[in-house]
Amino acid sequence: MTEELLEAVRQGRPHEVPELLGALEAAEREALPARLKAIRAEVRGWGWDQGERRRRVRHALLVAGAGCHTGAAATASWIGARDLRDRQAPPHRLVLSVLRGRDPRWLGDVAHRLAGRAATAREDYPLIRGLVERSGCPVPVADGYVHGWVDSVARKRVLGDLSADPQAPVLVPRLFRTAALSDWLVWQEGWVAALAGLPKAGVVAREVLVDGCVARLPRGGSPSEVRFLLELLRALELTEEEERARTADWAGIAAHAPSPAAAHAQAVLGRLAMAGEVSARQLAEVSSSVLFRAEKKLVRAQLVLAGKALRRDAGAAGELLPVVAEVFGHADTALQERALKLVGRHLDGVGPQVRAALADSAAVLLSPAHRAAAVEVFGALPEPEGPGAAYVELLPPPPEPRPLAPAAEGRELVEEVAALLHSFDPDPMDTERALDGLVRAAHDDPDALREALLPLLPGLWWYDGGLLDARHLRGAQLFAAALAGRVGLDELRRPPGAPARRYCVHERLAHVPVARAREAAFRALTDPLPFLLATPTWRTGGLEPSVLVERLAAYRRLGARPGTHDVAQALLRVRRTGPGVREAAEAAAALGTAEGGRLAAWLAEGAGFGAVARTRAEPPRPGSPDAGAGAGAGAGAPGRRIEVGTRENLLVQHQFPPAFRPLGRPWSWTGRDGGCHCRPGGAGDGLAVLPQDRETLAAWLLPLASRCADAGERDGALALPALAEGGGEAGPALRLALACGLGARHAEDRLAAVDALLVLAARGELDAGGLGGDLAELVAAGTVKVNRLADALRTTAASGAYATVWAVLAGALPGLLGGEVPRGTGEILAVAADCAERCGAATRADGAAPVGLAELAARSGSTQLVAQARRLAGALR
C-alpha cells in the first residue's frame, strides 16, 4: 500500500491520497516523510515544460505530508512550504480529510502555527478555520488570518449581517491593528455599513470601532485606507462627549495624519474649541504643529480657527499669537500676510514682552514685501541681522574627487568578488577594482585563485550546467566563469564584434565593459596580464595621465603585451586637459612603445572624442509632417522640438577595437520618438566608459531624462549628479538634460537634478542664464510642467543658493512672461520674488525686471500670479 501511495503522489493524483493514507499502519506512515522529501527534491529540479505535472505532484505531496507527519510543528511547516504551492489554491479539503481524527489540542496547535505564517496564512484561511472549528481552540488573530477572514466575507456579492458570524467579535477589533488594512475592506462597498451596525447588535462595543479608527489615522496609509476610516467615523456619528474624550487624539491626527484626516480632526477641534472644551494652551500646542505642515489649506484653516478662538476669548492672545507669528516665515507670502493681519487685530491683548518678541519675529521672518505693513502694526521694527551686510551665497563645497582604492588581495579580494557575484546591479567602480584584483591574482597564481573562487559559485544561475555564452555574463562574473571552465576558451578567443547599428547609444556603451572583461578573462587563461591599464584613478571613472604613463612604463619593463581593449578604455578615461597633461604626453612619447605613442597623440589632441553637435528647441519647418503637431522632447507640444546629436569621430571608428567603434558613429535625436527603451538608472556604466566626456553622455541621456518630464517615467535623471561631477565640457546637452530633470514628475528625479545644479554652480560651471532659457523653451514645448519646476527650484533655493536660482529664473522669466503666461507661473514668480528679495537682486547685474513683468503686475485682481508679480517687481526696484 505504501508503494501505491507513493505512485499516486508521483503521478500527481492528490484525490487518491486520503484513502490510500488511511489504509496505512502507524509505522508505515512514520516512514513516509523521508521518501516524500526525496520526491519533493526531485520536483524542484523540473523545468518549466513540466509545469502542469509539477502542480499536481505538489498538491499530492502536500496532502500526503500533512497526513503522515505526527508533530504539529512539522505538519505546519510542511503545509506552509512555498515550494509545494503554485498559483492555484492548495487542496485544503483534502488536507482536512487526512487530518480527521487527530487530537483536538493537536489540531488547534497546527491551526495557530499556520495562522502565524505570514506568507501563507491568508491563502490558508479555509484550512485554518476548519481546524479551529474541529478543535474548538481560540480564534487566531494574526494578520494573515484576519485578512483571510475579510476575503472570505468579501467573496459574497452583498455583505450580509456580520453579527451572525461567530468570529466577528474577535476579528473585527483586529481589523484596525493589522500592518495594512485589507484591500477588500477598503474597496468593497458595504463594509462601513456592516461594521457600523455591529454595536447596535451588541456584537462589538462602539468604543472598539471608534478607538480603532482614531488610533489608526495617525499612522497614515493609502488614500483609500484613510477614506475608509473617515467614512466609518462619520457613519458612527460620534457624540460631543465621544469627541471631547479624544481631544488629544484629534490633536495628534491634525498634526501628523494625511491631509484628509487632518482636516477632519481640525473640524472636530474647531467645534470643541467653540464649545469651550479646548483650552488656549491646548489650541496653541495643536497650532504649533499644524502651522508647520506643507498643506496650505490646513494652515489657512488653522489660522481661521485661531482667529475664532481669539474673538471668543481675547485673553488667549498671549498663548496663540506667538504661535501664529511662526507663519511669518512660511514660504507662501499670502499666508504671511494672513498671519500678520491676525496678529495686528489682537496685538492689544498681549504684554510688552510678547509684543517685542512678535516684532522681532516679523523683522526676521517676514518677506520684505510685508515690511511696510508690519511697521504699521508694530511701529518701528528692529533691523534684521544680515541684510545690512553683503549677501553671501551658500553653495555646497565643490565635490572633491575620491580616489579608487588599490585592488584588494587575498581574502579581501575573495569577499569583494563574492558580493559582486550575487549583486544584481553592481557599482561599476567596485567592479573595476575587483577585476583589477582578479587579473593581478591570476597573473601571480591562477590555481590558488581558482581554488579560492570555486566555493563561491554553487547556487549561481550560470554555474550548474554546460558551457555558457560569454555575452550573458559581465565583469567579475565572466572572469570567475572563465576560471571555473564554464566559458570555453574558443568563446573567449572569438573577438567580440561591434553591436549592430540598430542598437541605441546606451547599448553601445554597455558593450564596451563586456568586451574588456572578455579580453581580461581570455588573457588570464592564455597570457596573463600583470594588471589592468585602464583601472580608474578616481571613483568618477577618470584616470590621471601620469598614472597611465607609469603603468605603460611598468608594462615595458615586464615585457608584457597590453590588451587592445584595455588600452582603448584607458585612452577614453584619461584626463586630457588641465595641469600635467603636456608633461605626461612628453613622458609617454619618450617610452618608445606603440601604446606610449598613441597616448601622447591622444593627449596632444586634447578635445573630447565626441562633442555635441546641436541642442536646440525650435519649430518644425512649415509643411513638414510635424508642422502644427510638433514634439516636445518625446511627448510633443505644437510647434516645438528638442534636437540633440553627437558628431562622428573617425579616430575612434578607425583606430579602436570593434566594440568601441559604435561610440564614434554620429547620432541624433529629435524628440519624435522615445529614443530607446533602455532601463533608466544611474550614470554608472556610461561614466565608467567615458568619464571625460560628460557632454556626450548628457546628449545620450537626454531621451531618458526627457521621458521623466513628459512621460512621467522614473529614474531617468538619477545620473545627473554623477555627470555633473564628471570631466569634460559642461555644455548645452548637459543643460537640457538638467532642465528636463528639474521638471521630472517624480521627486527623486527632481532631487537628483537639484544636486547636479548645485554641483555645477559650486564648480563655477553653471550657465544659469542658458539653463533658464532652456527651461522656458521646455515649458513652452509642454515637456516641463511649471508646478514641478517651481518645486525643484524652491528646493534648490532653500539650500541657500538664492542668487543661483535667481540667475536661472532671470533667464527663464522673459520666455515665460513674453507671450501667453503658462498656468501655474504664479508659483515660479513666488520663488523668483523670494530669491530676489533674499539676494538683493535689485543691485545685481541680472536684476533688471524681465519683459512682461510690469504689465502683469499692473493687472487688477489678487490672484497668486498677479500678487507675486507685484512682489517681484517691488523686489527689483
Side-chain angles (χ1 to χ4, degrees):
M1 193 61 70
T2 299
E3 296 303 324
E4 293 181 20
L5 173 63
L6 293 173
E7 184 62 21
V9 170
R10 289 192 183 95
Q11 295 302 319
R13 301 193 297 268
H15 289 84
E16 298 179 12
V17 171
E19 182 178 353
L20 294 171
L21 197 60
L24 296 180
E25 298 293 337
E28 293 176 306
R29 288 193 182 197
E30 291 178 2
L32 270 177
R35 302 186 68 178
L36 292 176
K37 289 178 182 178
I39 300 175
R40 179 177 170 182
E42 178 185 343
V43 171
R44 291 194 192 105
W46 290 357
W48 61 269
D49 55 327
Q50 300 190 67
E52 177 58 25
R53 180 189 173 198
R54 180 172 54 238
R55 182 190 65 78
R56 296 196 309 269
V57 173
R58 282 175 171 175
H59 284 189
L61 280 168
L62 183 65
V63 177
C68 69
H69 282 89
T70 57
T75 303
S77 178
W78 184 275
I79 294 173
R82 296 302 301 173
D83 66 324
L84 295 180
R85 295 169 180 263
D86 50 36
R87 295 181 180 178
Q88 294 191 12
H92 293 134
R93 292 185 179 180
L94 296 179
V95 175
L96 280 171
S97 68
V98 298
L99 297 179
R100 186 183 295 111
R102 297 289 188 102
D103 178 68
R105 288 181 298 179
W106 185 90
L107 292 175
D109 190 3
V110 173
H112 279 266
R113 290 178 183 273
L114 289 174
R117 300 179 70 90
T120 56
R122 186 171 188 169
E123 184 180 36
D124 285 343
Y125 170 81
L127 170 62
I128 301 171
R129 178 161 185 173
L131 295 174
V132 169
E133 291 174 346
R134 288 187 183 182
S135 66
C137 69
V139 175
V141 292
D143 284 10
Y145 188 77
V146 174
H147 288 317
W149 175 71
V150 173
D151 295 346
S152 69
V153 174
R155 289 191 181 99
K156 305 170 185 176
R157 289 180 178 269
V158 180
L159 288 178
D161 184 3
L162 289 181
S163 62
D165 191 318
Q167 296 189 107
V170 178
L171 296 182
V172 167
R174 301 295 305 184
L175 293 176
F176 308 98
R177 303 180 191 176
T178 55
L181 295 182
S182 170
D183 294 338
W184 280 111
L185 184 69
V186 170
W187 288 106
Q188 188 180 32
E189 294 183 6
W191 275 101
V192 170
L195 292 173
L198 292 179
K200 297 177 182 178
V203 175
V204 175
R206 180 180 174 85
E207 290 76 12
V208 169
L209 298 178
V210 176
D211 290 339
C213 292
V214 170
R216 183 85 192 194
L217 281 172
R219 295 172 55 181
S222 67
S224 56
E225 291 181 2
V226 174
R227 183 173 60 249
F228 165 77
L229 294 170
L230 292 177
E231 288 177 357
L232 182 54
L233 277 178
R234 295 187 184 105
L236 291 170
E237 298 179 344
L238 272 62
T239 65
E240 183 177 332
E241 176 62 31
E242 287 175 323
E243 290 182 339
R244 181 171 58 252
R246 296 168 175 82
T247 301
D249 295 310
W250 303 125
I253 293 171
H256 305 296
S259 187
H264 178 84
Q266 267 187 325
V268 174
L269 288 170
R271 290 195 296 269
L272 294 175
M274 293 304 97
E277 301 293 344
V278 177
S279 68
R281 181 175 294 270
Q282 287 176 312
L283 186 56
E285 290 175 352
V286 174
S287 299
S288 66
S289 298
V290 177
L291 293 176
F292 276 97
R293 293 192 58 138
E295 302 93 331
K296 297 177 184 178
K297 182 178 180 181
L298 295 178
V299 176
R300 282 195 296 268
Q302 197 66 25
L303 289 175
V304 170
L305 176 56
K308 290 180 179 179
L310 287 168
R311 286 196 298 272
R312 183 180 180 279
D313 179 12
E319 293 278 2
L320 289 176
L321 291 190
V323 176
V324 171
E326 296 295 334
V327 184
F328 292 169
H330 198 282
D332 189 328
T333 54
L335 291 176
Q336 292 183 18
E337 184 179 10
R338 279 175 175 261
L340 180 61
K341 289 180 178 179
L342 180 58
V343 169
R345 284 196 295 268
H346 300 278
L347 191 60
D348 293 339
V350 301
Q353 290 184 338
V354 176
R355 183 187 182 99
L358 293 173
D360 288 341
S361 296
V364 173
L365 299 177
L366 275 175
S367 165
H370 298 313
R371 187 167 181 85
V375 170
E376 293 182 8
V377 171
F378 295 103
L381 284 181
E383 286 297 325
E385 297 179 5
Y391 168 76
V392 177
E393 183 84 340
L394 298 179
L395 290 173
E400 294 290 335
R402 293 179 297 150
L404 185 67
E409 300 177 356
R411 179 176 297 180
E412 183 183 357
L413 173 62
V414 173
E415 291 175 352
E416 291 184 5
V417 172
L420 291 173
L421 292 177
H422 292 85
S423 176
F424 175 73
D425 191 15
D427 183 279
M429 291 300 102
D430 292 341
T431 298
E432 284 290 335
R433 183 168 176 265
L435 193 60
D436 187 36
L438 288 170
V439 167
R440 292 171 183 267
H443 179 271
D444 296 339
D445 193 342
D447 294 332
L449 177 61
R450 185 180 295 106
E451 183 179 348
L453 292 180
L454 284 177
L456 307 177
L457 307 183
L460 296 173
W461 65 269
W462 50 264
Y463 182 69
D464 297 323
L467 296 179
L468 292 167
D469 187 336
R471 292 174 298 178
H472 296 157
L473 299 173
R474 295 189 175 192
Q477 285 187 341
L478 177 58
F479 201 97
L483 286 181
R486 290 297 184 269
V487 178
L489 198 59
D490 290 339
E491 168 73 11
L492 294 173
R493 181 182 292 111
R494 192 163 49 248
R501 287 185 175 272
R502 67 178 182 274
Y503 284 10
C504 75
V505 289
H506 310 102
E507 290 170 312
R508 299 181 194 178
L509 284 170
H511 199 71
V512 170
V514 174
R516 182 161 164 262
R518 281 178 61 140
E519 177 185 70
F522 176 75
R523 291 291 298 271
L525 298 177
T526 57
D527 181 16
L529 297 167
F531 52 83
L532 292 177
L533 293 170
T535 302
T537 311
W538 310 105
R539 290 201 68 90
T540 59
L543 175 58
E544 285 299 307
S546 60
V547 173
L548 181 54
V549 171
E550 292 174 1
R551 292 174 182 174
L552 288 173
Y555 261 68
R556 186 185 64 175
R557 290 194 303 271
L558 295 171
R561 178 174 58 89
T564 55
H565 294 82
D566 194 29
V567 171
Q569 178 62 92
L571 293 179
L572 295 184
R573 284 179 175 164
V574 73
R575 178 170 58 83
R576 301 186 292 273
T577 58
V581 172
R582 178 181 298 179
E583 294 80 358
E586 295 173 354
L591 291 175
T593 63
E595 291 75 19
R598 286 188 63 187
L599 174 59
W602 184 260
L603 293 176
E605 182 69 21
F609 98 103
V612 172
R614 60 187 181 277
T615 58
R616 62 180 180 267
E618 64 180 14
R621 293 187 300 274
S624 70
D626 298 301
R640 304 196 69 85
R641 175 183 301 143
I642 295 176
E643 295 184 357
V644 64
T646 53
R647 295 195 196 100
E648 183 175 47
N649 189 300
L650 296 177
L651 181 63
V652 172
Q653 291 192 58
H654 295 162
Q655 297 186 15
F656 278 59
F660 289 78
R661 292 171 189 168
L663 301 180
R665 293 176 189 157
W667 172 83
S668 63
W669 176 70
T670 62
R672 289 175 293 184
D673 51 41
C676 72
H677 299 283
C678 292
R679 177 183 65 85
D685 290 343
L687 278 179
V689 175
L690 297 174
Q692 304 299 330
D693 291 281
R694 57 180 168 177
E695 184 70 355
T696 297
L697 290 176
W700 292 350
L701 173 73
L702 191 51
L704 302 181
S706 69
R707 295 207 307 254
C708 287
D710 61 19
E713 296 186 6
R714 288 183 182 273
D715 299 342
L718 297 185
L720 289 173
L723 278 179
E725 293 186 34
E729 179 189 5
L734 181 55
R735 225 174 42 224
L736 268 176
L738 178 59
C740 289
L742 291 171
R745 175 182 179 182
H746 297 285
E748 54 269 30
D749 286 297
R750 294 199 298 273
L751 288 174
V754 168
D755 288 343
L757 191 158
L758 292 173
V759 168
L760 291 173
R763 294 175 61 166
E765 298 174 337
L766 178 67
D767 179 2
L771 176 60
D774 291 339
L775 286 169
E777 289 186 342
L778 292 178
V779 169
T783 302
V784 168
K785 304 293 188 296
V786 173
N787 61 323
R788 299 172 186 169
L789 174 61
D791 176 76
L793 293 179
R794 188 182 300 113
T795 301
T796 309
S799 70
Y802 294 101
T804 298
V805 175
W806 166 248
V808 172
L809 287 172
L813 288 175
L816 294 175
L817 305 181
E820 183 178 352
V821 180
R823 182 179 179 182
T825 303
E827 291 189 58
I828 290 287
L829 290 175
V831 177
D834 188 41
C835 292
E837 291 167 351
R838 290 177 181 269
C839 73
T843 63
R844 292 169 54 90
D846 54 10
V851 175
L853 181 63
E855 293 79 359
L856 190 58
R859 291 184 185 178
S860 59
S862 58
T863 63
Q864 184 189 36
L865 178 65
V866 175
Q868 296 301 331
R870 293 170 184 163
R871 178 187 170 196
L872 177 58
L876 296 178
R877 291 193 190 102

